[in-house]
Amino acid sequence: MDKRQFLKTTGSLLAGSAFSRLMADVQKSTPQTNWAGNYQYSRKRLDAPKSVAELQTLVKSRSEMKALGARHSFNAIADSTGDQISLENLQDISLDRNSHTVQVGAGMRYGQLAPYLYKNGYALPNLASLPHITLAGACATATHGSGSKNGNLATAVSAMEMVTGDGELVKLSRERDGDKFRGAVVQLGAMGVVTKLRLDLQPAFDMRQVVYENLPIERLKESLDEIFASGYSVSLFTDWQNRRMTQVWIKSRVEPGRSSEIKPEFFGAKLANRKLHPITGHSAESCTEQMGIPGPWYERLPHFRMNFTPSSGAELQSEYFVPRSKGYEAILAIEGLRDQITPHLFISELRTIEADDLWMSTCYQRPSMTIHFTWKPEWAAVKRILPMIEEKLAPFDARPHWAKLFTISPSRLQLLYEKLPAYRDLVKQYDPHGKFRNAFLDANIFGAA
Ligand SMILES: Cc1cc2nc3c(=O)[nH]c(=O)nc-3n(C[C@H](O)[C@H](O)[C@H](O)COP(=O)(O)OP(=O)(O)OC[C@H]3O[C@@H](n4cnc5c(N)ncnc54)[C@H](O)[C@@H]3O)c2cc1C
């Protein structure tokens, strides 16, 4: 089964025995590479336990392992030279209408959970650009969507359960466990195999999405905050040429009984008169509905639809988080590299995220703006450009996305996280023998320690 076929099939079968059968097939055929195909895992085997008890036995009996989500990371963060453990068989859902929370098996994908929540009158605060990723994989790497008042996806977690290095099941909650909880939610797969996450919910809402074309970069100088605050979730796309954002995607909540006008112009950009894909020349069929047509939150917050290949497919990705207050200067710094960047780029995207208090979050105590690069699959060229980008963004203390490609040195990276020493201690407490360590963690987290 190729990648396109797999995504189409998983999207159209959300529950029931057909889905279980499919998952069993997928288990057999899970490729030894990440989704983009740019990284080859070095695992010896892949296990998919059917219960938490089975997982505990497995963890106790092995010396080296790593949880694997939907394989959407672009670097070595999910790799292991021992076992990879898939939680695709642990997908139970339990909705609590009293506390307005849902407890979910950590192997579930957002695209499976979201329609269930909507049907039951609930919503998550935000989603990433694609719904195909697992809850555990996304939260472990501080995956985010956009919205100046929206935290990353891990900030919706209010409790979690994980099997630690000695096979024990540990339960942590925001109310009860303070620092331990704040250290463990964005854990980079280093502390244990997460089996359940409890998420805060809000009442379901509908949204509409409109797209504008050609916003002059200069308009961001005075109005960056206003532009990003013009919707619940706003994304700007650019190829860095001609001093303009090629597209502005504005996702707004539809408030019942309140009609709001769609203006033909937005800070000099013109309302699109057809549905668009962020990458010029790609079909917009894979994108969520636009043109102001209202629909469920989960069919507007991501850019890409569940039953289609998101983004480009054959691609690489990098992303850097800068303080939002320095957003415009950071944009200009990168714009100066346009002629090196554009030939190897599909598209760049700028988003905003609210600050949080999760120790290893890329938005830790910092309202952030991200500069993202969807690259053509040309690693030799990208590897040459990343250090130039990182040098330009160094004055802004840019933090790279944990799951994407970067070349920042471990010693520099470690300076960007003031809670790193406490995080290392917590990793040692939950995984004293380093079962969940891998080359990525050894280099980037423990490297210069
Ligand atoms: C097309 C595309 C679009 C993307 N868009 C966005 C975006 O909009 N925003 C964004 O922030 N990122 C984005 N990403 C990156 C993506 O969100 C991250 O790579 C995310 O970690 C993927 O989740 P996954 O389920 O594939 O996890 P994997 O890549 O399989 O694993 C990621 C990490 O999570 C750990 N992990 C997984 N499951 C568990 C578990 N049960 N217990 C403990 N640790 C676990 C793994 O060990 C690993 O360290 C995108 C990626 C792609 C390919």
Side-chain angles (χ1 to χ4, degrees), residues 340-346 374-378 381-382 384-385:
Q340 284 96 316
I341 291 173
T342 311
H344 306 289
L345 187 76
F346 277 128
T374 301
W375 301 105
K376 294 174 184 167
E378 299 169 358
V382 172
R384 251 191 354 261
I385 298 166

Side-chain angles (χ1 to χ4, degrees), residues 387-408:
M388 296 183 217
I389 290 176
E390 289 162 2
E391 193 187 327
K392 290 280 187 193
L393 293 181
F396 310 106
D397 285 335
R399 297 172 178 151
H401 194 304
W402 287 115
K404 301 185 182 179
L405 296 163
F406 60 88
T407 57
I408 290 180

Side-chain angles (χ1 to χ4, degrees), residues 226-372:
E226 200 185 331
I227 287 170
F228 276 113
S230 62
Y232 185 83
S233 169
V234 175
S235 289
L236 310 184
F237 293 93
T238 183
D239 58 9
W240 300 105
Q241 295 296 316
N242 304 316
R243 295 189 69 79
R244 50 80 167 108
M245 298 289 136
T246 49
Q247 295 177 22
V248 180
W249 288 35
I250 305 178
K251 301 163 192 271
S252 309
R253 289 175 67 127
V254 176
E255 306 297 348
R258 225 187 325 140
S259 72
S260 49
E261 184 201 351
I262 298 175
K263 299 204 169 92
E265 206 175 310
F266 177 79
F267 291 89
K270 301 277 183 300
L271 186 65
N273 58 10
R274 68 216 180 281
K275 205 176 149 183
L276 293 171
H277 191 289
I279 306 172
T280 310
H282 280 49
S283 162
E285 192 195 13
S286 60
C287 297
T288 47
E289 197 58 82
Q290 302 168 15
M291 313 289 290
I293 299 164
W297 58 274
Y298 70 91
E299 291 181 354
R300 298 295 178 277
L301 280 173
H303 303 330
F304 303 107
R305 295 157 68 185
M306 179 68 176
N307 46 351
F308 287 84
T309 298
S311 195
S312 172
E315 66 189 59
L316 304 173
Q317 294 189 10
S318 306
E319 188 169 33
Y320 298 90
F321 294 65
V322 298
R324 196 185 311 153
S325 57
K326 300 274 171 44
Y328 184 64
E329 287 130 282
I331 291 168
L332 288 191
I334 299 306
E335 202 257 345
L337 292 174
R338 62 189 175 279
D339 291 339
Q340 284 96 316
I341 291 173
T342 311
H344 306 289
L345 187 76
F346 277 128
I347 198 70
S348 268
E349 180 179 9
L350 311 180
R351 289 180 277 186
T352 53
I353 307 105
E354 183 54 294
D356 61 57
D357 61 358
L358 304 173
W359 292 356
M360 297 306 284
S361 164
T362 33
C363 298
Y364 179 72
Q365 296 196 344
R366 209 162 83 174
S368 300
M369 188 195 82
T370 56
I371 306 181
H372 164 91

